[in-house]
Amino acid sequence: MEQNRTSQSTSSTNSGALSTLVTVFFFWGFIAAGNGVFIPFCKHYFHLDQFQSQLIDFAFYLAYYLGALVLYFIASLFNLDVIARWGYKNSIVYGLLFSAFGAVIMILAVNANTFPGMLIGLFTVALGFSLQQTATNPFAALLGPPETGSHRITLGGAVNSFGTAIGPIIVALALFGATRANDEQINALGLGKVTVLYAFVGALFLGAAALFFFSKKLPSGKFETETEKSPKALWALGIMTLLLIAIFIPVFRSYMVVTEDKTLLEEIEMTRLKWLLCGLAIILCALLISFLSAKKNANGWGAMKYPQLVLGMLAIFTYVGVEVTIQSNMGALLALKDFGGYTSSQVAPFISMYWGSLMIGRWTGSIKIFEPTNMMKSILLFIVPVIAFGIVLLLNAIAQNDITPLYWYILCIIIQIFGFYLGQDKPVKTLLIFSLFGMAAMLTGIFTTGTVSIYAFLSGGLFCSIMWPCIFVLSIAGLGKHTSQGSAFLIMMILGGAIIPPIQGKLADLNSIGIHNSYWMAVFCFAYLALFAVSVKGILRKQGIDYDSSIGGH
């Protein structure tokens, strides 16, 4: 959608408004990362298999896709940009209220002791997040000079990363308190503390909504817009969505089957896996067919006529999927004897360190924003990640978590620092290096056990940390008037967080594979990201775009 915004930027950043705005970034990270502790808790409390436990991520990230898709459909079919009509400020307020409503649904579901109801609650919370995210990123860019817009968004990302680091710790304390219950004692704990947790979260959403609504510092953010027609892209996404709905009907039907017949259970597991893989195939085929069709005739495809965007949509899908699936399945991995035999109440420091790894990488990647000298930059490349690592350890120590198993993780951080030096702030080069590092880490984790394997899987967070901006900037490069629409398509592909974790969970349920070998899923994801880095460089070069050549090294 081509946007002609009423100018509200100023000669300097509106710091007061920005400080209010970044609070929503914290919420996204806090809730999403907290799911990593919530998943193993629900698995044991409701006696779920690994696939069923991953429905938490399925519900959460599916909401992002459907929320963005509905906004796109309304804009395309009715020539109405909802965000433009409401304005950024009101859109964020409505999104926060929607998330608060989701918290109420969670509380009602908890009191009814129903897992499907809790999934609906999480879906509603994330649906509010989808609306917030659609409005917040461009709103941050609006609160000051255009040339420093990316700096303000990066600041939001840094706050988001702090939320992801602290989320698992707070959720674990809320569920288990200072005790470390074993899995047999979890049922005795009950769901009462989940009610308290989401009552608190809902109150925070309402408080933030009131803060935004009554804040005189925040401009309305309303703008006029001219909708970019893309009927072929509309049909492609619509058909893909309908097929996905059809695919997941038998998957959810199998969830309702209760039996102790092992032969029947094995058949159900294989059926689920086949349907899930069909869902993945539908997404891959839809994007591939769109790519080839747009290549033959670009008319009617809108932003999807650009090959870098279509391949980038798959890259965002893969990136979000691998980032989420590594930690979502980690609780089950850590429960194995070879990996420490940790209970659900003991995994919080590991989940916190995984998300903290993303914080470490993003803080390190943000150094260039402050335009330090080359010497200072080299110094900060060592100091910033070490400080961030120390903060994650300190937060866990305050929460009385055992941090001794994490001390030597500093070695993985040194490897990441080396990767930043090799990448030289060049998006293609950085994405390729970190994708290859991610592959190597996953393979190391698969072929080892114990602390080495745990560190290898945790380091997936370090290597995912810097990928989003690299993929995003490469995917929308050269789109011109289609940039806004292309950005919306990329946000839709957060869908990867809903699809890939359940597939890995289903692979883990198969006796022939198990949770350890299920991490081959992550290897394949990093492999595609490396392929995208190589492919997009050639595609953009043909269009006269070469970011890596225009960006100098250290």
Side-chain angles (χ1 to χ4, degrees), residues 418-476:
F418 179 63
F420 273 110
Y421 269 103
L422 291 178
Q424 298 177 306
D425 293 331
K426 299 178 179 181
V428 173
K429 193 173 183 181
T430 298
L431 181 59
L432 178 59
I433 289 170
F434 277 60
S435 297
L436 294 175
F437 278 12
M439 279 184 65
M442 296 303 103
L443 289 170
T444 300
I446 290 170
F447 290 110
T448 59
T449 58
T451 301
V452 173
S453 183
I454 293 172
Y455 281 8
F457 289 130
L458 286 177
S459 69
L462 293 172
F463 306 128
C464 282
S465 63
I466 202 66
M467 287 184 174
W468 174 278
C470 293
I471 297 170
F472 215 92
V473 72
L474 293 170
S475 299
I476 63 174

Short mmCIF file of all heavy atoms in Angstrom, two decimals, residues 418-476:
data_model
loop_
_atom_site.label_atom_id
_atom_site.label_comp_id
_atom_site.label_asym_id
_atom_site.label_seq_id
_atom_site.Cartn_x
_atom_site.Cartn_y
_atom_site.Cartn_z
N PHE A 418 33.19 -12.99 16.81
CA PHE A 418 34.00 -13.27 15.62
C PHE A 418 33.15 -13.15 14.37
O PHE A 418 33.58 -12.62 13.34
CB PHE A 418 34.60 -14.67 15.74
CG PHE A 418 35.44 -15.08 14.56
CD1 PHE A 418 36.60 -14.40 14.23
CD2 PHE A 418 35.07 -16.17 13.78
CE1 PHE A 418 37.37 -14.77 13.14
CE2 PHE A 418 35.84 -16.56 12.69
CZ PHE A 418 36.99 -15.86 12.38
N GLY A 419 31.89 -13.62 14.45
CA GLY A 419 30.98 -13.52 13.32
C GLY A 419 30.68 -12.09 12.95
O GLY A 419 30.58 -11.74 11.77
N PHE A 420 30.52 -11.22 13.96
CA PHE A 420 30.27 -9.81 13.69
C PHE A 420 31.47 -9.17 12.98
O PHE A 420 31.30 -8.35 12.07
CB PHE A 420 29.99 -9.06 14.99
CG PHE A 420 28.55 -9.08 15.41
CD1 PHE A 420 28.14 -9.81 16.52
CD2 PHE A 420 27.59 -8.38 14.70
CE1 PHE A 420 26.81 -9.83 16.91
CE2 PHE A 420 26.25 -8.39 15.07
CZ PHE A 420 25.86 -9.13 16.18
N TYR A 421 32.68 -9.57 13.39
CA TYR A 421 33.87 -9.04 12.71
C TYR A 421 33.91 -9.48 11.25
O TYR A 421 34.22 -8.70 10.35
CB TYR A 421 35.13 -9.51 13.43
CG TYR A 421 35.59 -8.55 14.50
CD1 TYR A 421 35.36 -8.83 15.85
CD2 TYR A 421 36.25 -7.37 14.18
CE1 TYR A 421 35.78 -7.96 16.85
CE2 TYR A 421 36.68 -6.49 15.16
CZ TYR A 421 36.44 -6.79 16.49
OH TYR A 421 36.84 -5.91 17.46
N LEU A 422 33.57 -10.74 11.01
CA LEU A 422 33.57 -11.26 9.64
C LEU A 422 32.49 -10.60 8.78
O LEU A 422 32.69 -10.32 7.60
CB LEU A 422 33.37 -12.77 9.65
CG LEU A 422 34.50 -13.64 10.21
CD1 LEU A 422 34.09 -15.10 10.19
CD2 LEU A 422 35.79 -13.43 9.40
N GLY A 423 31.32 -10.34 9.40
CA GLY A 423 30.20 -9.78 8.65
C GLY A 423 30.39 -8.35 8.23
O GLY A 423 29.82 -7.91 7.23
N GLN A 424 31.15 -7.58 8.98
CA GLN A 424 31.49 -6.19 8.66
C GLN A 424 30.25 -5.32 8.42
O GLN A 424 30.27 -4.41 7.59
CB GLN A 424 32.40 -6.13 7.43
CG GLN A 424 33.74 -6.83 7.62
CD GLN A 424 34.58 -6.81 6.36
OE1 GLN A 424 34.12 -7.24 5.29
NE2 GLN A 424 35.80 -6.32 6.47
N ASP A 425 29.16 -5.60 9.10
CA ASP A 425 27.91 -4.82 8.99
C ASP A 425 27.27 -4.91 7.61
O ASP A 425 26.36 -4.13 7.28
CB ASP A 425 28.15 -3.34 9.33
CG ASP A 425 28.49 -3.14 10.79
OD1 ASP A 425 28.04 -3.96 11.62
OD2 ASP A 425 29.21 -2.18 11.11
N LYS A 426 27.72 -5.84 6.77
CA LYS A 426 27.14 -6.01 5.43
C LYS A 426 26.02 -7.04 5.52
O LYS A 426 26.23 -8.16 5.94
CB LYS A 426 28.23 -6.47 4.46
CG LYS A 426 29.37 -5.47 4.33
CD LYS A 426 30.45 -5.98 3.39
CE LYS A 426 31.57 -4.95 3.24
NZ LYS A 426 32.63 -5.40 2.30
N PRO A 427 24.78 -6.66 5.09
CA PRO A 427 23.62 -7.53 5.31
C PRO A 427 23.73 -8.92 4.68
O PRO A 427 23.40 -9.91 5.34
CB PRO A 427 22.46 -6.73 4.72
CG PRO A 427 23.07 -5.70 3.85
CD PRO A 427 24.40 -5.40 4.43
N VAL A 428 24.18 -9.01 3.44
CA VAL A 428 24.28 -10.32 2.79
C VAL A 428 25.35 -11.18 3.47
O VAL A 428 25.11 -12.34 3.82
CB VAL A 428 24.60 -10.18 1.29
CG1 VAL A 428 24.86 -11.56 0.67
CG2 VAL A 428 23.45 -9.50 0.55
N LYS A 429 26.50 -10.58 3.67
CA LYS A 429 27.61 -11.31 4.27
C LYS A 429 27.28 -11.74 5.71
O LYS A 429 27.56 -12.88 6.10
CB LYS A 429 28.86 -10.43 4.26
CG LYS A 429 30.16 -11.17 4.56
CD LYS A 429 31.35 -10.24 4.36
CE LYS A 429 32.67 -10.99 4.58
NZ LYS A 429 33.83 -10.08 4.40
N THR A 430 26.68 -10.84 6.46
CA THR A 430 26.31 -11.15 7.84
C THR A 430 25.28 -12.27 7.89
O THR A 430 25.41 -13.22 8.68
CB THR A 430 25.75 -9.90 8.55
OG1 THR A 430 26.77 -8.89 8.60
CG2 THR A 430 25.31 -10.23 9.97
N LEU A 431 24.26 -12.19 7.04
CA LEU A 431 23.22 -13.22 7.01
C LEU A 431 23.80 -14.58 6.64
O LEU A 431 23.47 -15.60 7.25
CB LEU A 431 22.12 -12.83 6.02
CG LEU A 431 20.95 -13.81 5.90
CD1 LEU A 431 20.25 -14.01 7.24
CD2 LEU A 431 19.94 -13.32 4.85
N LEU A 432 24.68 -14.61 5.66
CA LEU A 432 25.29 -15.87 5.23
C LEU A 432 26.15 -16.47 6.35
O LEU A 432 26.04 -17.66 6.65
CB LEU A 432 26.14 -15.63 3.98
CG LEU A 432 26.89 -16.87 3.44
CD1 LEU A 432 25.90 -17.98 3.08
CD2 LEU A 432 27.74 -16.49 2.23
N ILE A 433 26.99 -15.65 6.97
CA ILE A 433 27.88 -16.14 8.03
C ILE A 433 27.08 -16.67 9.22
O ILE A 433 27.34 -17.77 9.71
CB ILE A 433 28.84 -15.02 8.48
CG1 ILE A 433 29.87 -14.73 7.38
CG2 ILE A 433 29.55 -15.39 9.79
CD1 ILE A 433 30.70 -13.49 7.62
N PHE A 434 26.09 -15.92 9.64
CA PHE A 434 25.32 -16.33 10.81
C PHE A 434 24.42 -17.54 10.50
O PHE A 434 24.15 -18.35 11.39
CB PHE A 434 24.50 -15.16 11.35
CG PHE A 434 25.29 -14.25 12.26
CD1 PHE A 434 26.42 -13.59 11.80
CD2 PHE A 434 24.93 -14.08 13.58
CE1 PHE A 434 27.16 -12.77 12.63
CE2 PHE A 434 25.65 -13.26 14.43
CZ PHE A 434 26.78 -12.61 13.96
N SER A 435 23.98 -17.67 9.25
CA SER A 435 23.22 -18.86 8.86
C SER A 435 24.10 -20.10 8.90
O SER A 435 23.68 -21.16 9.39
CB SER A 435 22.64 -18.68 7.45
OG SER A 435 21.73 -17.62 7.39
N LEU A 436 25.32 -19.97 8.41
CA LEU A 436 26.26 -21.10 8.43
C LEU A 436 26.67 -21.44 9.87
O LEU A 436 26.78 -22.62 10.23
CB LEU A 436 27.50 -20.77 7.59
CG LEU A 436 27.25 -20.62 6.08
CD1 LEU A 436 28.53 -20.17 5.37
CD2 LEU A 436 26.74 -21.93 5.48
N PHE A 437 26.86 -20.41 10.69
CA PHE A 437 27.15 -20.65 12.11
C PHE A 437 25.98 -21.37 12.78
O PHE A 437 26.17 -22.26 13.61
CB PHE A 437 27.42 -19.32 12.83
CG PHE A 437 28.84 -18.81 12.67
CD1 PHE A 437 29.71 -19.36 11.74
CD2 PHE A 437 29.30 -17.76 13.46
CE1 PHE A 437 31.01 -18.89 11.59
CE2 PHE A 437 30.60 -17.27 13.33
CZ PHE A 437 31.45 -17.85 12.38
N GLY A 438 24.76 -20.95 12.43
CA GLY A 438 23.57 -21.59 12.98
C GLY A 438 23.49 -23.05 12.59
O GLY A 438 23.17 -23.91 13.43
N MET A 439 23.77 -23.36 11.33
CA MET A 439 23.79 -24.75 10.87
C MET A 439 24.82 -25.56 11.65
O MET A 439 24.54 -26.67 12.11
CB MET A 439 24.13 -24.82 9.37
CG MET A 439 22.98 -24.55 8.44
SD MET A 439 23.50 -24.77 6.71
CE MET A 439 23.87 -26.52 6.69
N ALA A 440 26.02 -25.00 11.78
CA ALA A 440 27.09 -25.69 12.49
C ALA A 440 26.71 -25.94 13.95
O ALA A 440 26.98 -27.02 14.50
CB ALA A 440 28.38 -24.87 12.42
N ALA A 441 26.05 -24.95 14.56
CA ALA A 441 25.63 -25.10 15.97
C ALA A 441 24.60 -26.21 16.11
O ALA A 441 24.70 -27.04 17.02
CB ALA A 441 25.06 -23.78 16.48
N MET A 442 23.61 -26.23 15.21
CA MET A 442 22.57 -27.27 15.29
C MET A 442 23.16 -28.66 15.07
O MET A 442 22.79 -29.63 15.75
CB MET A 442 21.47 -26.99 14.28
CG MET A 442 20.68 -25.69 14.52
SD MET A 442 19.90 -25.56 16.16
CE MET A 442 21.03 -24.43 16.98
N LEU A 443 24.07 -28.78 14.12
CA LEU A 443 24.70 -30.08 13.86
C LEU A 443 25.54 -30.53 15.06
O LEU A 443 25.55 -31.71 15.42
CB LEU A 443 25.57 -29.99 12.60
CG LEU A 443 24.80 -29.88 11.27
CD1 LEU A 443 25.75 -29.56 10.12
CD2 LEU A 443 24.04 -31.18 10.97
N THR A 444 26.23 -29.58 15.66
CA THR A 444 27.00 -29.89 16.88
C THR A 444 26.07 -30.38 17.98
O THR A 444 26.36 -31.36 18.67
CB THR A 444 27.76 -28.65 17.37
OG1 THR A 444 28.66 -28.20 16.34
CG2 THR A 444 28.55 -28.96 18.64
N GLY A 445 24.94 -29.72 18.13
CA GLY A 445 23.98 -30.12 19.15
C GLY A 445 23.40 -31.50 18.90
O GLY A 445 23.18 -32.27 19.84
N ILE A 446 23.17 -31.83 17.63
CA ILE A 446 22.60 -33.13 17.28
C ILE A 446 23.58 -34.27 17.53
O ILE A 446 23.21 -35.34 18.02
CB ILE A 446 22.13 -33.13 15.81
CG1 ILE A 446 20.90 -32.23 15.65
CG2 ILE A 446 21.81 -34.55 15.33
CD1 ILE A 446 20.50 -31.97 14.21
N PHE A 447 24.85 -34.04 17.23
CA PHE A 447 25.84 -35.12 17.31
C PHE A 447 26.58 -35.18 18.65
O PHE A 447 27.53 -35.94 18.79
CB PHE A 447 26.84 -35.00 16.15
CG PHE A 447 26.23 -35.33 14.81
CD1 PHE A 447 26.01 -34.34 13.87
CD2 PHE A 447 25.86 -36.64 14.52
CE1 PHE A 447 25.45 -34.64 12.63
CE2 PHE A 447 25.29 -36.95 13.29
CZ PHE A 447 25.08 -35.95 12.34
N THR A 448 26.15 -34.36 19.61
CA THR A 448 26.73 -34.41 20.95
C THR A 448 25.61 -34.46 21.98
O THR A 448 24.42 -34.38 21.63
CB THR A 448 27.62 -33.18 21.24
OG1 THR A 448 26.81 -31.98 21.13
CG2 THR A 448 28.78 -33.10 20.27
N THR A 449 25.97 -34.59 23.23
CA THR A 449 24.99 -34.54 24.33
C THR A 449 25.56 -33.69 25.46
O THR A 449 26.69 -33.20 25.37
CB THR A 449 24.67 -35.96 24.87
OG1 THR A 449 25.89 -36.58 25.30
CG2 THR A 449 23.99 -36.81 23.82
N GLY A 450 24.78 -33.54 26.52
CA GLY A 450 25.27 -32.83 27.69
C GLY A 450 25.45 -31.34 27.46
O GLY A 450 24.78 -30.73 26.62
N THR A 451 26.40 -30.75 28.19
CA THR A 451 26.60 -29.30 28.17
C THR A 451 26.96 -28.78 26.80
O THR A 451 26.46 -27.72 26.38
CB THR A 451 27.72 -28.92 29.17
OG1 THR A 451 27.36 -29.36 30.48
CG2 THR A 451 27.93 -27.41 29.19
N VAL A 452 27.81 -29.50 26.06
CA VAL A 452 28.21 -29.05 24.71
C VAL A 452 26.98 -28.93 23.82
O VAL A 452 26.80 -27.94 23.10
CB VAL A 452 29.23 -30.03 24.10
CG1 VAL A 452 29.50 -29.67 22.63
CG2 VAL A 452 30.53 -30.01 24.88
N SER A 453 26.13 -29.94 23.86
CA SER A 453 24.92 -29.93 23.03
C SER A 453 23.97 -28.81 23.46
O SER A 453 23.41 -28.10 22.61
CB SER A 453 24.21 -31.28 23.12
OG SER A 453 23.09 -31.31 22.27
N ILE A 454 23.79 -28.64 24.76
CA ILE A 454 22.90 -27.58 25.26
C ILE A 454 23.41 -26.21 24.81
O ILE A 454 22.64 -25.36 24.33
CB ILE A 454 22.80 -27.64 26.80
CG1 ILE A 454 22.08 -28.91 27.23
CG2 ILE A 454 22.07 -26.40 27.34
CD1 ILE A 454 22.10 -29.14 28.74
N TYR A 455 24.71 -25.97 24.97
CA TYR A 455 25.29 -24.70 24.53
C TYR A 455 25.09 -24.49 23.02
O TYR A 455 24.80 -23.39 22.56
CB TYR A 455 26.79 -24.67 24.85
CG TYR A 455 27.13 -24.34 26.28
CD1 TYR A 455 26.15 -24.25 27.26
CD2 TYR A 455 28.45 -24.13 26.68
CE1 TYR A 455 26.46 -23.95 28.57
CE2 TYR A 455 28.78 -23.83 27.99
CZ TYR A 455 27.78 -23.74 28.94
OH TYR A 455 28.09 -23.44 30.24
N ALA A 456 25.25 -25.56 22.26
CA ALA A 456 25.11 -25.46 20.80
C ALA A 456 23.69 -25.03 20.44
O ALA A 456 23.50 -24.13 19.60
CB ALA A 456 25.44 -26.80 20.15
N PHE A 457 22.69 -25.64 21.07
CA PHE A 457 21.31 -25.27 20.76
C PHE A 457 20.98 -23.87 21.28
O PHE A 457 20.30 -23.10 20.60
CB PHE A 457 20.34 -26.29 21.36
CG PHE A 457 20.35 -27.62 20.65
CD1 PHE A 457 20.47 -28.81 21.35
CD2 PHE A 457 20.26 -27.68 19.27
CE1 PHE A 457 20.49 -30.03 20.70
CE2 PHE A 457 20.27 -28.90 18.60
CZ PHE A 457 20.39 -30.08 19.31
N LEU A 458 21.49 -23.52 22.47
CA LEU A 458 21.28 -22.18 22.99
C LEU A 458 21.87 -21.12 22.06
O LEU A 458 21.30 -20.04 21.88
CB LEU A 458 21.90 -22.03 24.38
CG LEU A 458 21.21 -22.70 25.56
CD1 LEU A 458 22.03 -22.52 26.83
CD2 LEU A 458 19.80 -22.17 25.75
N SER A 459 23.02 -21.43 21.45
CA SER A 459 23.69 -20.45 20.59
C SER A 459 22.89 -20.16 19.33
O SER A 459 23.20 -19.19 18.62
CB SER A 459 25.09 -20.94 20.22
OG SER A 459 25.03 -22.06 19.35
N GLY A 460 21.87 -20.98 19.05
CA GLY A 460 20.98 -20.64 17.94
C GLY A 460 20.39 -19.26 18.13
O GLY A 460 20.15 -18.53 17.15
N GLY A 461 20.15 -18.85 19.38
CA GLY A 461 19.66 -17.50 19.65
C GLY A 461 20.67 -16.43 19.28
O GLY A 461 20.31 -15.36 18.78
N LEU A 462 21.95 -16.71 19.51
CA LEU A 462 23.00 -15.75 19.14
C LEU A 462 23.02 -15.52 17.63
O LEU A 462 23.17 -14.38 17.16
CB LEU A 462 24.36 -16.28 19.58
CG LEU A 462 24.63 -16.38 21.09
CD1 LEU A 462 25.94 -17.11 21.34
CD2 LEU A 462 24.65 -15.00 21.73
N PHE A 463 22.84 -16.60 16.87
CA PHE A 463 22.96 -16.50 15.42
C PHE A 463 21.67 -16.04 14.76
O PHE A 463 21.69 -15.51 13.64
CB PHE A 463 23.45 -17.83 14.86
CG PHE A 463 24.73 -18.30 15.51
CD1 PHE A 463 24.85 -19.57 16.04
CD2 PHE A 463 25.81 -17.44 15.64
CE1 PHE A 463 26.01 -20.00 16.68
CE2 PHE A 463 26.98 -17.84 16.26
CZ PHE A 463 27.08 -19.12 16.78
N CYS A 464 20.53 -16.21 15.43
CA CYS A 464 19.26 -15.67 14.92
C CYS A 464 19.15 -14.17 15.18
O CYS A 464 18.43 -13.46 14.47
CB CYS A 464 18.08 -16.38 15.59
SG CYS A 464 17.71 -18.03 14.94
N SER A 465 19.85 -13.70 16.18
CA SER A 465 19.63 -12.35 16.72
C SER A 465 19.66 -11.24 15.69
O SER A 465 18.88 -10.30 15.76
CB SER A 465 20.68 -12.06 17.81
OG SER A 465 21.99 -12.08 17.26
N ILE A 466 20.55 -11.33 14.73
CA ILE A 466 20.78 -10.23 13.80
C ILE A 466 20.13 -10.48 12.44
O ILE A 466 20.24 -9.66 11.52
CB ILE A 466 22.31 -10.01 13.63
CG1 ILE A 466 22.61 -8.60 13.14
CG2 ILE A 466 22.92 -11.07 12.74
CD1 ILE A 466 22.27 -7.52 14.14
N MET A 467 19.40 -11.59 12.29
CA MET A 467 18.88 -11.98 10.98
C MET A 467 17.70 -11.15 10.51
O MET A 467 17.59 -10.83 9.32
CB MET A 467 18.50 -13.46 10.98
CG MET A 467 19.69 -14.39 10.97
SD MET A 467 19.18 -16.11 10.85
CE MET A 467 20.79 -16.91 10.69
N TRP A 468 16.78 -10.80 11.42
CA TRP A 468 15.57 -10.09 11.00
C TRP A 468 15.88 -8.83 10.19
O TRP A 468 15.36 -8.68 9.08
CB TRP A 468 14.70 -9.76 12.22
CG TRP A 468 13.50 -8.91 11.90
CD1 TRP A 468 13.45 -7.56 11.75
CD2 TRP A 468 12.16 -9.38 11.66
NE1 TRP A 468 12.18 -7.14 11.46
CE2 TRP A 468 11.36 -8.23 11.39
CE3 TRP A 468 11.56 -10.64 11.65
CZ2 TRP A 468 9.99 -8.31 11.13
CZ3 TRP A 468 10.19 -10.71 11.40
CH2 TRP A 468 9.43 -9.57 11.13
N PRO A 469 16.72 -7.89 10.69
CA PRO A 469 16.98 -6.69 9.90
C PRO A 469 17.68 -6.98 8.58
O PRO A 469 17.44 -6.31 7.58
CB PRO A 469 17.86 -5.83 10.82
CG PRO A 469 18.42 -6.78 11.82
CD PRO A 469 17.40 -7.84 12.00
N CYS A 470 18.55 -8.00 8.57
CA CYS A 470 19.24 -8.36 7.32
C CYS A 470 18.24 -8.85 6.28
O CYS A 470 18.25 -8.41 5.11
CB CYS A 470 20.29 -9.44 7.57
SG CYS A 470 21.69 -8.93 8.58
N ILE A 471 17.37 -9.78 6.67
CA ILE A 471 16.38 -10.32 5.75
C ILE A 471 15.42 -9.23 5.30
O ILE A 471 15.09 -9.11 4.11
CB ILE A 471 15.58 -11.47 6.41
CG1 ILE A 471 16.51 -12.64 6.75
CG2 ILE A 471 14.46 -11.95 5.50
CD1 ILE A 471 15.86 -13.71 7.62
N PHE A 472 14.99 -8.40 6.25
CA PHE A 472 13.99 -7.38 5.94
C PHE A 472 14.52 -6.37 4.93
O PHE A 472 13.86 -6.06 3.93
CB PHE A 472 13.57 -6.67 7.22
CG PHE A 472 12.12 -6.26 7.24
CD1 PHE A 472 11.16 -7.11 7.76
CD2 PHE A 472 11.72 -5.03 6.73
CE1 PHE A 472 9.82 -6.75 7.78
CE2 PHE A 472 10.39 -4.66 6.74
CZ PHE A 472 9.42 -5.52 7.27
N VAL A 473 15.73 -5.85 5.18
CA VAL A 473 16.26 -4.81 4.30
C VAL A 473 16.57 -5.36 2.91
O VAL A 473 16.38 -4.67 1.90
CB VAL A 473 17.52 -4.17 4.93
CG1 VAL A 473 18.73 -5.11 4.89
CG2 VAL A 473 17.86 -2.85 4.22
N LEU A 474 17.00 -6.61 2.82
CA LEU A 474 17.28 -7.22 1.53
C LEU A 474 15.99 -7.54 0.77
O LEU A 474 15.95 -7.45 -0.47
CB LEU A 474 18.10 -8.50 1.71
CG LEU A 474 19.52 -8.30 2.24
CD1 LEU A 474 20.15 -9.65 2.61
CD2 LEU A 474 20.39 -7.57 1.22
N SER A 475 14.94 -7.88 1.49
CA SER A 475 13.68 -8.27 0.86
C SER A 475 12.92 -7.08 0.28
O SER A 475 12.23 -7.22 -0.74
CB SER A 475 12.78 -9.00 1.87
OG SER A 475 13.40 -10.16 2.34
N ILE A 476 13.02 -5.91 0.91
CA ILE A 476 12.29 -4.74 0.43
C ILE A 476 13.16 -3.81 -0.41
O ILE A 476 12.69 -2.77 -0.88
CB ILE A 476 11.66 -3.95 1.59
CG1 ILE A 476 12.74 -3.38 2.51
CG2 ILE A 476 10.68 -4.81 2.37
CD1 ILE A 476 12.19 -2.46 3.61
#
